[in-house]
Amino acid sequence: MTIAPDPVDLAARLIACKSVTPSDDGAMNIMAEALEAAGFTVHLLTKGQAPDGPVTNLIAFRGKGHPHLAYAGHSDVVPAGQGWSSDPFTPTIKDGYLVGRGAVDMKSSVAAFIAAASRYTEHKGTLSFLITGDEEGPATFGTPAIIEWLNERSIKPDYCLVGEPTSMEVLGDTIKNGRRGSVNMWIDVPGIQGHVAYPDRAQNPIPVLARIISDLESWLLDEGDQWFQPSNLEVTAIESDNKATNVIPSLAKAQLNIRFNALHKGAELVDSLKKRVAAIEPKAKVKFAISGEAFVTEKGVLTEKVSAAITKNTGRTPSLSTSGGTSDARFLTKLCPVIEFGLVNATMHKVDEKASVEDIQQLSRIDEDIIKSFLG
Ligand SMILES: [Zn+2]
């Protein structure tokens, strides 16, 4: 067995790979090498084609049978954007922070867990890594492909920790034990085009759309529950594609998003919305795209063991939260109970993204205690 890598060094090597979704730029090979050196069997799974692919994913195992703890994460990053103080893909350490695209979301987390697994090598059961190269993109060829690969081989982890940056102010203050679901919808209301001076010969779709929106605004989806805030519908755009001041347009369109809690399924919300729209204008058309269903992992072994490892190292008692956007946990929850825990997320996706060097080291110690508590 070789010497365990330092998590900050490993994170820096990963940041130097320009793995903007769906590119990999060598990140998977760096992880594969480190994991093989720590005794893991590594499978690289390349799927899909342009424009959303090809995507390389990594699946690695060490040990046999149960209990089986899986660590899930991603090595892709969002584009750097303009205005960085230093090159986003040249990792720099400044004032105690590792700076670079992916430092927070989430190359340092992956590195911290690989380093932990490299230090803690003798364990029972199975430890696995499920790393996707397509979390920040449409995820078509990422985690769903990993899950399919596992299903084909009847491999089922008992618990999954997703290393997304969930801490809000300080490392260890927040675990995510669920996520809201999300559905986008588009409503098209047809009318009959005509001259504004002859409204009897036309049919204006705009007031109809306004009535639909007003009805949707009054729709109380739920009042939330123990884990979730109330589900929420937001109209995000309306347009009629009409620049002329003397024309009644032939079409009015609205776009909206619903962030929903585990009291709903995406399809059920789409159905209810279609009924409400049809009651006002039967000719209106509704299109939709469900980006993810809501899920919650109730308090249990997973939340308790991860919380205990956090408290042991930081003295903090993490709160459980379901706030924020969606993550790949929405897919992994189909495999087994899943929670998310990682670094402070203040600078993720931003210019000058940075992670505290001390936090990365501490996260790696927490990770080691998590492995110990499940597989020790
Ligand atoms: Zn992420």
Side-chain angles (χ1 to χ4, degrees):
M1 204 70 69
T2 47
I3 302 164
D6 176 78
V8 179
D9 287 348
L10 184 56
R13 290 179 62 207
L14 291 173
I15 290 169
C17 303
K18 208 176 169 183
S19 56
V20 177
T21 312
S23 293
D24 169 57
D25 196 31
M28 288 293 174
N29 279 333
I30 291 173
M31 290 183 285
E33 250 172 52
L35 287 166
E36 274 165 1
F40 282 82
T41 305
V42 177
H43 306 266
L44 290 178
L45 185 66
T46 301
K47 289 270 178 189
Q49 56 301 113
D52 298 337
V55 170
T56 304
N57 304 293
L58 178 151
I59 306 169
F61 301 98
R62 190 174 64 194
K64 257 202 198 87
H66 297 274
H68 178 168
L69 173 68
Y71 171 87
H74 63 89
S75 58
D76 59 327
V77 293
V78 294
Q82 303 295 313
W84 284 68
S85 319
S86 55
D87 181 67
F89 299 102
T90 305
T92 335
I93 296 200
K94 203 181 159 201
D95 305 329
Y97 285 87
L98 174 62
V99 185
R101 176 53 88 223
V104 171
D105 189 9
M106 56 175 279
K107 287 174 168 174
S108 301
S109 170
V110 174
F113 210 94
I114 292 176
S118 308
R119 294 191 302 271
Y120 192 77
T121 53
E122 299 300 320
H123 58 79
K124 64 184 181 190
T126 306
L127 181 61
S128 65
F129 282 81
L130 313 174
I131 310 293
T132 170
D134 179 21
E135 199 272 345
E136 302 291 7
T140 324
F141 306 118
T143 300
I146 293 177
I147 292 174
E148 193 183 300
W149 191 96
L150 294 173
N151 286 340
E152 282 164 10
R153 287 158 185 80
S154 304
I155 300 168
K156 202 171 147 21
D158 300 302
Y159 299 103
C160 179
L161 171 70
V162 180
E164 288 285 350
T166 57
S167 297
M168 301 297 291
E169 307 293 334
V170 285
L171 180 68
D173 62 6
T174 310
I175 287 174
K176 287 210 196 293
N177 67 321
R179 293 273 185 163
R180 287 182 296 171
S182 175
V183 56
N184 289 313
M185 292 190 245
W186 296 268
I187 302 168
D188 282 11
V189 178
I192 297 170
Q193 189 179 320
H195 197 297
V196 287
Y198 302 89
D200 49 318
R201 296 183 192 171
Q203 211 172 75
N204 194 342
I206 294 176
V208 182
L209 183 61
R211 284 204 297 281
I212 290 172
I213 289 171
S214 156
D215 173 68
L216 294 178
E217 284 293 306
S218 70
W219 182 16
L220 182 70
L221 293 161
D222 57 70
E223 286 173 334
D225 67 6
Q226 174 198 3
W227 293 116
F228 289 94
Q229 61 198 97
S231 302
N232 181 52
L233 181 153
E234 286 299 325
V235 178
T236 51
I238 50 174
E239 58 175 305
S240 68
D241 201 21
N242 177 33
K243 297 282 178 285
T245 53
N246 57 354
V247 172
I248 290 170
S250 64
L251 183 66
K253 303 196 274 189
Q255 172 183 281
L256 59 96
N257 175 271
I258 301 179
R259 292 294 159 120
F260 57 94
N261 58 39
L263 299 168
H264 304 276
K265 292 272 178 241
E268 163 237 314
L269 287 171
V270 171
D271 270 0
S272 305
L273 181 132
K274 279 182 173 169
K275 281 192 189 118
R276 295 183 84 102
V277 170
I280 295 168
E281 174 51 274
K283 289 202 288 292
K285 288 197 174 63
V286 176
K287 285 183 288 182
F288 66 95
I290 299 167
S291 343
E293 297 290 347
F295 75 92
V296 66
T297 299
E298 298 285 341
K299 272 186 195 156
V301 176
L302 184 56
T303 55
E304 276 158 25
K305 284 188 192 265
V306 172
S307 296
I310 292 168
T311 306
K312 184 188 155 195
N313 286 277
T314 66
R316 296 180 189 112
T317 306
S319 57
L320 299 177
S321 159
T322 59
S323 68
T326 65
S327 80
D328 273 10
R330 72 189 190 269
F331 304 120
L332 294 157
T333 186
K334 289 170 197 154
L335 276 180
C336 64
V338 48
I339 60 171
E340 301 171 66
F341 171 66
L343 293 167
V344 175
N345 57 28
T347 61
M348 67 174 174
H349 293 205
K350 290 191 177 173
V351 161
D352 292 341
E353 180 177 346
K354 59 178 185 176
S356 149
V357 166
E358 179 43 37
D359 279 3
I360 298 170
Q361 299 289 2
Q362 195 162 44
L363 177 61
S364 191
R365 291 191 287 271
I366 295 169
D367 289 341
E368 191 177 337
D369 282 327
I370 291 171
I371 301 170
K372 223 180 273 183
S373 67
F374 281 95
L375 306 178

